[in-house]
Amino acid sequence: AVEPGLRPGHTITITMDGRPVSSDCSTTVSIKNADRGTHNLGASVKDSNGKSLISTSSTVHILRASQ
């Protein structure tokens, strides 16, 4: 959840390794078939003019079983 809530015109952009994977008002996203390894996930809230209001990022490590 986003606290305080989004205002009209605000969007959330979710990135993986610097590439957008979602840009709307949703606070959840599914990333399918991500490669194994270390990735940087980011999220930023932008206003209706595209100005970034707040952002955060985190490093994740993906391990997948071989087939």
Side-chain angles (χ1 to χ4, degrees), residues 1-7 10 45 54:
V2 177
E3 293 292 331
L6 296 177
R7 293 186 179 175
H10 286 184
V45 175
I54 191 168

Side-chain angles (χ1 to χ4, degrees), residues 12-58:
I12 300 174
T13 299
I14 308 292
T15 60
M16 181 172 180
D17 299 330
R19 288 172 278 169
V21 293
S22 175
S23 186
D24 53 29
C25 295
S26 177
T27 59
T28 61
V29 64
S30 293
I31 300 172
K32 297 180 181 178
N33 297 319
D35 292 332
R36 284 184 270 192
T38 302
H39 299 279
N40 185 7
L41 297 178
S44 64
V45 175
K46 297 181 180 180
D47 67 12
S48 58
N49 295 319
K51 178 183 172 189
S52 182
L53 302 174
I54 191 168
S55 62
T56 188
S57 65
S58 184

